[in-house]
Amino acid sequence: MTAERARIDFPSRIGVWWGGTAWPMPAAQEVAREIESLGYGSLFIPEIGLKDCLVESAALLEATDKLVIGTGIANIHARLPTVAEGGGRTLNALHPGRFVLGLGVSHGPLVQNAFGLSYDKPLATMRTYLERMAALPDFIEGGVRPTRVLAALGPKMIELSGTMADGAHPYLVTPSRAPPRAKSWARTSGSCPSRPSPSARTRRSSSAGHICTWRSTRACRTTGTPGYARDSTTPTWSRAAPIGWRAASSAWVRWSRPPPR
């Protein structure tokens, strides 16, 4: 693994996870600027196979000044490991200290149906992917690798996130599920999930967006979008964790606004 890793300085410990795939990119850039103006330190975006999250990240980084942009998460089945590493290094070179490369193995139904690939041994698949990322020559963007976090819910993936990455992205984990895993996060990556301050649990913006966290699966299914309700029933999450958002180095909350018509 490349020895030198980009350092990330979050302007704030509170950040936003936002699925804006349906938004035109100029409008999504406006949302990113608004999130930054409200004082949040980071914005993490998903990848569901409709847009390239690295291209989206580049556009959001260009539209903001200090906001940390991260992939939450980049689907490892969507690109070659060397391309993911090279893309992450490029974004870090253009915007030092402002990009986090979140990686995940995704879910069997998506990988099989949308990508036409087999979904077998996700832990081994992720380990091999990280090994191939680390093999990218150092002359690519000076050899400074992006900060990497892994979508990790089970104990083995959490362990891998500390030994071969820089931490865990425990997406869809409620506070009630975080304490048993906090020691694992702290032991592997030197950090553990943070809980948003009370003032951050509900905030409203001038353009009718809102930011919230959910305390239970039921709350998500009644206040979230159909996609989140569906996600909570997939095998990966139903086995490992109910709903909520927490991160290793900053607390994330979901931003909910309808796309422009």
Side-chain angles (χ1 to χ4, degrees):
M1 182 178 290
T2 304
E4 189 174 0
R5 170 176 66 87
R7 175 181 174 81
I8 305 298
D9 293 316
F10 290 93
S12 168
R13 286 180 56 84
I14 308 300
V16 173
W17 188 99
W18 179 54
T21 302
W23 287 58
M25 185 47 64
Q29 289 178 310
E30 288 293 334
V31 171
R33 283 190 283 266
E34 182 179 12
I35 288 172
E36 182 175 49
S37 71
L38 291 171
Y40 294 96
S42 56
L43 169 60
F44 281 73
I45 60 173
E47 182 171 54
I48 59 175
L50 301 177
K51 288 183 178 179
D52 188 316
C53 65
L54 295 185
V55 175
E56 290 183 275
S57 295
L60 297 174
L61 285 163
E62 186 64 29
T64 52
D65 296 320
K66 297 181 180 180
L67 191 68
V68 172
I69 303 297
T71 57
I73 50 81
N75 189 330
I76 66 171
H77 300 279
R79 59 187 58 82
L80 295 172
T82 50
V83 173
E85 174 68 14
R89 290 188 192 183
T90 300
L91 291 177
N92 178 70
L94 291 171
H95 305 277
R98 294 183 55 209
F99 178 68
V100 176
L101 180 60
L103 301 165
V105 294
S106 189
H107 310 285
L110 177 62
V111 173
Q112 293 163 354
N113 299 330
F115 292 92
L117 302 173
S118 62
Y119 190 81
D120 186 40
K121 298 182 179 180
L123 182 68
T125 299
M126 177 61 82
R127 182 181 290 108
T128 300
Y129 195 90
L130 293 170
E131 290 171 349
R132 292 177 178 174
M133 288 179 69
L136 190 69
D138 284 353
F139 68 78
I140 301 299
E141 298 299 343
V144 180
R145 70 171 180 83
T147 295
R148 307 187 193 113
V149 295
L150 304 185
L153 294 174
K156 293 183 179 180
M157 193 67 78
I158 290 174
E159 182 180 1
L160 188 67
S161 74
T163 58
M164 295 189 69
D166 304 302
H169 183 327
Y171 176 70
L172 299 183
V173 178
T174 58
S176 64
R177 292 300 296 261
R181 294 184 178 143
K183 291 183 180 180
S184 295
W185 280 315
R187 183 169 57 251
T188 57
S189 62
S191 57
C192 60
S194 302
R195 182 175 298 184
S197 63
S199 62
R201 288 175 188 159
T202 302
R203 294 186 181 179
R204 293 191 177 275
S205 73
S206 59
S207 56
H210 70 274
I211 293 179
C212 59
T213 60
W214 286 295
R215 295 284 172 177
S216 68
T217 301
R218 179 181 179 183
C220 171
R221 290 174 179 166
T222 55
T223 64
T225 65
Y228 295 105
R230 181 192 63 244
D231 287 344
S232 69
T233 63
T234 59
T236 303
W237 287 319
S238 61
R239 284 196 307 267
I243 301 296
W245 279 258
R246 298 294 180 268
S249 56
S250 64
W252 295 330
V253 288
R254 178 181 169 259
W255 177 275
S256 177
R257 272 171 58 182
R261 298 296 182 183

